[in-house]
């Protein structure tokens, strides 16, 4: 009986603990845009992976001189001569050093690789931030679209019930009742599909920003603030003292190609120096003195095949020169491409702003038309089909406006990413 009581208490404690834990997990987490950005910066897998790569490049850069680090070894031996009845014991230490002109280019290459790795890491962080911001605004669009669809569904349900009452009072025909019911039933799958899509996209968003899937989230924000943005010109863009990220990366590629040519030339023409120092002691059992070895050797190697135009060294130098020319062409093309893309984005942004203004007017007109049609329908001066069309027009106008707002902010984010401008600065 006592054991049974203890077991019941343990089970109650477990259930209480589990319930408390689930209650904590199920607490709704309110997310602003900046909250999502910070969470992604701390928890995104792609950012963490790139940070590990950067850490490896940093260590390679820090110890890039290690090729001149001397190598040392110690050798010990024990020999037994059974015929002479002697035993010899020897210990020898050797120190080797090699020095070549390529040391400079090796250090330079490690430094350039690390600098490019830093740029790649920063761009990865910016790419993830852009994706998070774009996804956040898309979820806001889906959330507001879902709210509009639900509002339309509620309106149609209310109208269907009102029509039932009017039919019982002999004010409308049964056809109007059936039409209102069909309209309501047709709207339900649209709402259900929107809810499913929103739920799936929220799950994907949680994965990107590193939030537990079990935690419900609520997005705090609105697309309406985007609609307050006015026209944008190239002159109104924030000033930036450094080139766009793609141009910086192309410039770094040119530096790396130049260093590659220098490295290949050093390999083909520059001499290398090697030095070796050896010191040892040997003791024989039948000899009182300990023999000592102490030697130093220095060597110089001068390559000559680089002077032959058909040699592999000469061919490699020519190949490196071609790589440099290709990197320069890529740099010029990147500059042109960046300028063209910037102008394209500016035109798309200003077109979206103009279209948003028209869509705002459409929403106001549709809402006014609906209210007038509703009044006319209540007085029996128009049929239900006109009222239904007016309600659908309001929904369509609002959805189009929200969609345009999302398109506008998405294009602005693409332009900010292209130019390396801090997100959220254009249009402020």
């Amino acid at each position: 009986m006592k054991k049974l009581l203890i077991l019941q208490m343990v089970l109650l404690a477990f259930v209480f603990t589990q319930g408390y834990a689930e209650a904590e997990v199920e607490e709704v987490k309110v997310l602003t845009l900046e909250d999502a950005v910070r969470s992604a910066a701390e928890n995104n897998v792609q950012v963490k992976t790139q940070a590990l790569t950067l850490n490896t490049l940093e260590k390679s850069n820090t110890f890039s001189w290690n090729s001149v680090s001397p190598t040392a070894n110690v050798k010990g031996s024990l020999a037994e001569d059974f015929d002479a009845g002697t035993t010899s014991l020897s210990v020898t230490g050797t120190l080797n050093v090699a020095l070549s002109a390529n040391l400079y280019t090796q250090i330079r290459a490690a430094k350039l690789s690390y600098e490019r790795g830093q740029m790649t890491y920063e761009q990865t962080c910016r790419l993830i931030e852009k994706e998070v911001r774009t996804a956040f605004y898309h979820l806001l669009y889906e959330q507001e679209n879902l709210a509009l669809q639900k509002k339309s569904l509620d309106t149609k349900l209310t109208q269907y019930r009102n029509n039932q009452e009017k039919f019982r009072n002999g004010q409308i025909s049964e056809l109007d009742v059936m039409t209102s019911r069909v309209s309501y039933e047709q709207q339900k799958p649209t709402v259900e599909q929107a809810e499913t899509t929103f739920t799936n996209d929220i799950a994907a968003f949680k994965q990107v920003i590193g939030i537990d899937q079990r935690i419900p989230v609520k997005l705090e924000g609105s697309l309406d603030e985007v609609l307050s943005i006015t026209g944008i010109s190239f002159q109104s863009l924030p000033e930036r003292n450094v080139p766009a990220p793609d141009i910086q990366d192309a410039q770094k590629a040119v530096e790396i190609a130049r260093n590659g040519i220098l490295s290949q030339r050093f390999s083909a023409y520059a001499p290398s120096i090697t030095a070796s120092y050896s010191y040892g002691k040997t003791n024989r059992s039948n000899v009182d003195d300990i023999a000592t070895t102490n030697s130093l050797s220095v060597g110089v190697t001068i390559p000559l095949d680089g002077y032959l135009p058909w040699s592999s060294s000469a061919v490699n130098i020519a190949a490196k020169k071609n790589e440099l020319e290709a990197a320069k062409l890529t740099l010029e093309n990147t500059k042109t491409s960046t300028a063209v893309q910037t102008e394209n984005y500016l035109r798309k942004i200003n077109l979206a702003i103009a279209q948003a203004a028209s869509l705002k007017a459409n929403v106001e007109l549709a809402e006014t038309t609906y209210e007038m049609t509703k009044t006319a329908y209540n007085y029996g001066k128009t049929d239900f089909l006109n009222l239904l069309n007016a309600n659908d027009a309001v929904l369509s106008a609002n959805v189009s406006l929200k969609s345009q707002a999302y398109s506008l902010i998405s294009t602005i984010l693409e332009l900010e990413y292209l130019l390396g401008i801090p997100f959220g600065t254009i249009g402020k």
Side-chain angles (χ1 to χ4, degrees), residues 165-396:
E165 183 65 26
K166 288 180 180 180
F167 173 71
R168 284 192 290 268
N169 296 333
Q171 295 176 309
I172 60 174
S173 66
E174 187 177 5
L175 178 61
D176 282 348
V177 178
M178 296 303 298
T179 302
S180 60
R181 180 177 179 180
V182 169
S183 176
Y184 167 70
E185 295 295 339
Q186 287 178 337
Q187 183 75 19
K188 285 169 67 175
T190 303
V191 173
E192 292 169 355
Q193 180 61 47
E195 287 179 332
T196 301
T197 301
F198 181 68
T199 301
N200 292 340
D201 290 346
I202 278 285
F205 184 69
K206 289 178 184 178
Q207 182 178 4
V208 172
I209 64 177
I211 290 182
D212 194 314
Q213 292 290 334
R214 296 172 297 173
I215 300 177
V217 298
K218 178 183 179 183
L219 304 183
E220 188 175 272
S222 173
L223 288 171
D224 292 337
E225 59 188 32
V226 178
L227 300 174
S228 62
I229 297 175
T230 56
I232 297 172
S233 64
F234 187 84
Q235 290 74 19
S236 67
L237 295 176
E239 294 185 3
R240 185 168 170 82
N241 298 325
V242 295
D246 287 347
I247 297 177
Q248 292 183 57
D249 186 71
Q251 289 173 336
K252 192 63 63 177
V254 171
E255 291 185 60
I256 292 173
R258 284 200 179 102
N259 188 68
I261 293 177
L262 186 59
S263 176
Q264 198 62 50
R265 283 174 174 167
F266 282 158
S267 298
Y269 307 121
S272 59
I273 301 172
T274 58
S276 178
Y277 174 72
S278 179
Y279 182 85
K281 294 284 189 180
T282 302
N283 180 33
R284 293 184 178 87
S285 59
N286 59 346
V287 178
D288 293 335
D289 295 333
I290 297 176
T292 301
T293 58
N294 191 8
S295 64
L296 173 66
S297 63
V298 179
V300 177
T301 303
I302 302 176
L304 298 177
D305 60 340
Y307 295 94
L308 304 175
W310 59 82
S311 67
S312 60
S313 297
V315 172
N316 289 337
I317 291 174
K320 290 296 182 181
K321 288 181 179 179
N322 289 336
E323 288 181 12
L324 175 59
E325 291 305 313
K328 288 180 178 178
L329 290 172
T330 300
L331 173 59
E332 293 305 314
N333 185 62
T334 302
K335 289 179 179 179
T336 302
S337 177
T338 300
V340 170
Q341 288 184 66
T342 300
E343 293 295 336
N344 288 343
Y345 283 137
L346 286 173
R347 283 191 288 268
K348 288 179 66 176
I349 289 170
N350 288 318
L351 177 61
I353 291 172
Q355 290 176 337
S358 299
L359 291 172
K360 279 184 185 178
N362 288 345
V363 169
E364 295 173 0
L365 180 61
E367 289 176 345
T368 302
T369 302
Y370 173 73
E371 291 300 326
M372 294 175 64
T373 306
K374 183 178 179 181
T375 301
Y377 177 74
N378 289 335
Y379 282 99
K381 295 181 178 180
T382 188
D383 58 20
F384 179 73
L385 184 59
N386 286 332
L387 178 63
L388 183 62
N389 290 336
N391 179 69
D392 290 343
V394 172
L395 173 63
S396 177

Side-chain angles (χ1 to χ4, degrees), residues 33 36-37 126-142 205 208 219 223 405-417 423:
L33 176 58
V37 169
R126 283 184 56 79
L127 177 62
I128 295 302
E129 182 175 352
K130 185 199 74 171
E131 291 178 352
V132 168
R133 289 177 179 272
T134 302
F136 187 90
Y137 281 115
H138 187 261
L139 287 170
L140 285 182
Y141 163 70
E142 290 187 37
F205 184 69
V208 172
L219 304 183
L223 288 171
Y406 168 69
S407 177
L408 172 59
I409 192 61
S410 298
T411 308
I412 290 176
L413 289 172
E414 292 291 345
L415 178 58
E416 290 172 334
Y417 176 75
F423 293 109

